[in-house]
Amino acid sequence: MAYKISYGDSTYVRQADDSVLDTLLAQGIDIPHSCRSGVCQSCLMQALEGVPSEAAQAGLKSTYRAKAYFLACCWYPEEDVVVKLPNTADSAVAATISEIEPLNHNVVRLRLIADKPFDAIAGQHLTLITPHNVARSYSIANVPDEEAYIELHVRVIANGKLSSWLLHEAKTGMAVYLRGPAGECFYVAEDEKNFPIILAGTGTGLAPLLGIARDALRQGHRGDIHLFHGALKPEDLYLVEYLQALSDRYAHFNYTPCVLHGLDGKFYVRGDIQELVVADIADKKNTRIYLCGAPELVNSLKKKVFLAGASLAHIYHDAFLPSK
Ligand SMILES: Cc1cc2nc3c(=O)[nH]c(=O)nc-3n(C[C@H](O)[C@H](O)[C@H](O)COP(=O)(O)OP(=O)(O)OC[C@H]3O[C@@H](n4cnc5c(N)ncnc54)[C@H](O)[C@@H]3O)c2cc1C
Ligand code: FES
């Protein structure tokens, strides 16, 4: 049976395997979207008629679920429905750019001050919405509770929609919108805060890992914390001096920058981050492992640390799925 999707003044027939997002994009309608996998939440819409499925509301805040918001890439309605884009002012918090600063040749630090409280935990991700309605997910790299701003690390992708806006249009004082936060990848204080923590990622995967490490230190975590930041080339690393200073300040915080195509005897370790991480797991039962960044690395490392004996319940991960 064919079901209909009404949007604006028009009604479209949903093809059997198409989501609401697929149906509207096929009509040339510009619905913000990115991962098309239910992760980034950039395709948020609202149902005016019809009841969104559980899968289409997975991971959404209860206030969003109550307003019948849903993820358009995950809803395959088996009834006729009427949908709309949410009013940005109702579904997101306005924020002002307070700082834009390069951290290396392709990573930019963005600091944002939200107009209203934006209750986010270091390591979660939010949806950044530009004035032109481009929506992309970014992880929270600082401890917003402690600071008056939210920090994001944005990798600049050649010809990327958000990257281009950041390079050519964004400036301090500009207004943007933030939606969320979402995600379960954050520090949880339990077991007397004695357990070891390993954090590993490449590129801007450092963003949530840095937030999580700082949050754990702030909460008085007592177990060892080891942060591995991997790169292909030395110039892909960033915040090296800051992280070295943090490890000088806290005896139980270790920082290992590692470079796959590097040289011996430098400020980093030459080698494969995956081998270094696996070799570092001493207390297999209790170590909490956080993996963030490129999906291939996160998935591969998740398998390797599990096969090395880490408990699945103690592996937290956030893969930065690119737009499709
Ligand atoms: C949960 C989550 C958290 C994230 N956190 C961060 C973060 O903290 N920092 C960060 O920089 N990014 C993060 N991302 C990725 C981010 O949302 C965007 O996908 C990325 O910034 C590219 O956006 P863009 O608009 O510049 O490029 P787009 O317009 O989305 O992409 C342009 C083209 O490049 C391709 N592309 C995009 N990304 C990559 C990539 N990594 N490798 C190869 N090709 C690619 C796209 O498929 C597309 O063809 C996260 C993603 C998710 C899902
Ligand atoms: S959650 Fe739908 S596009 Fe990412």
Side-chain angles (χ1 to χ4, degrees), residues 288-310:
R288 296 348 185 225
I289 301 179
Y290 292 85
L291 310 169
C292 297
E296 311 73 44
L297 177 93
V298 169
N299 293 333
S300 159
L301 206 37
K302 191 177 148 199
K303 248 184 240 159
K304 286 188 175 150
V305 297
F306 173 66
L307 292 175

Side-chain angles (χ1 to χ4, degrees), residues 57-112:
Q57 292 193 310
L60 292 185
K61 295 198 295 193
S62 53
T63 46
Y64 287 180
R65 290 201 299 269
K67 287 184 187 162
Y69 289 153
F70 66 92
L71 300 175
C73 67
C74 296
W75 196 18
Y76 300 79
E78 298 199 340
E79 60 181 322
D80 292 345
V81 300
V82 180
V83 300
K84 70 185 268 284
L85 280 174
N87 180 339
T88 309
D90 290 343
S91 64
V93 170
T96 305
I97 301 177
S98 63
E99 189 182 312
I100 307 179
E101 193 187 298
L103 292 174
N104 72 8
H105 66 100
N106 70 350
V107 177
V108 172
R109 169 158 67 200
L110 199 55
R111 285 187 173 156
L112 305 160

Side-chain angles (χ1 to χ4, degrees), residues 10-297:
S10 306
T11 296
Y12 312 101
V13 173
R14 181 175 79 78
Q15 301 301 318
D17 293 333
D18 284 356
S19 63
V20 171
L21 181 68
D22 298 328
T23 307
L24 297 178
L25 291 180
Q27 299 298 328
I29 300 167
D30 188 17
I31 304 293
H33 65 281
S34 182
C35 72
R36 297 179 88 154
S37 315
V39 175
C40 74
Q41 302 196 355
S42 61
C43 63
L44 195 76
M45 294 192 78
Q46 189 173 20
L48 300 177
E49 281 175 30
V51 181
S53 65
E54 216 172 289
Q57 292 193 310
L60 292 185
K61 295 198 295 193
S62 53
T63 46
Y64 287 180
R65 290 201 299 269
K67 287 184 187 162
Y69 289 153
F70 66 92
L71 300 175
C73 67
C74 296
W75 196 18
Y76 300 79
E78 298 199 340
E79 60 181 322
D80 292 345
V81 300
V82 180
V83 300
K84 70 185 268 284
L85 280 174
N87 180 339
T88 309
D90 290 343
S91 64
V93 170
T96 305
I97 301 177
S98 63
E99 189 182 312
I100 307 179
E101 193 187 298
L103 292 174
N104 72 8
H105 66 100
N106 70 350
V107 177
V108 172
R109 169 158 67 200
L110 199 55
R111 285 187 173 156
L112 305 160
I113 298 177
D115 287 3
K116 285 198 253 168
F118 187 80
D119 291 329
I121 307 174
Q124 284 191 299
H125 52 91
L126 53 73
T127 308
L128 172 64
I129 306 170
T130 71
H132 304 303
N133 226 12
V134 175
R136 294 284 183 268
S137 294
Y138 294 100
S139 306
I140 296 163
N142 69 325
V143 184
D145 268 2
E146 237 183 18
E147 287 138 343
Y149 55 82
I150 293 168
E151 176 166 319
L152 311 176
H153 299 167
V154 180
R155 178 179 157 205
V156 177
I157 311 261
N159 301 320
K161 278 192 182 175
L162 195 131
S163 301
S164 303
W165 165 80
L166 187 60
L167 283 186
H168 305 300
E169 290 177 57
K171 47 178 179 282
T172 52
M174 184 179 264
V176 292
Y177 279 95
L178 309 179
R179 194 182 280 149
E184 310 286 323
C185 197
F186 48 75
Y187 173 69
V188 182
E190 52 185 351
D191 295 350
E192 316 263 304
K193 303 179 189 170
N194 276 329
F195 49 88
I197 297 178
I198 293 178
L199 308 124
T202 52
T204 45
L206 177 64
L209 303 176
L210 173 59
I212 294 162
R214 284 193 49 212
D215 198 19
L217 291 169
R218 175 187 76 124
Q219 293 195 47
H221 186 77
R222 288 193 288 273
D224 285 339
I225 304 174
H226 198 157
L227 169 61
F228 292 88
H229 189 205
L232 286 178
K233 295 172 274 134
E235 59 269 33
D236 298 334
L237 294 167
Y238 64 92
L239 290 180
V240 174
E241 284 174 17
Y242 171 83
L243 287 161
Q244 280 167 342
L246 203 62
S247 73
D248 290 343
R249 191 166 148 211
Y250 294 95
H252 64 309
F253 174 71
N254 285 299
Y255 161 58
T256 300
C258 49
V259 176
L260 190 59
H261 305 307
L263 301 169
D264 289 324
K266 297 284 180 186
F267 67 92
Y268 52 80
V269 174
R270 180 165 72 97
D272 180 353
I273 184 171
Q274 305 201 46
E275 288 168 16
L276 294 168
V277 167
V278 169
D280 197 60
I281 310 171
D283 180 350
K284 296 184 169 59
K285 194 168 151 238
N286 294 308
T287 304
R288 296 348 185 225
I289 301 179
Y290 292 85
L291 310 169
C292 297
E296 311 73 44
L297 177 93

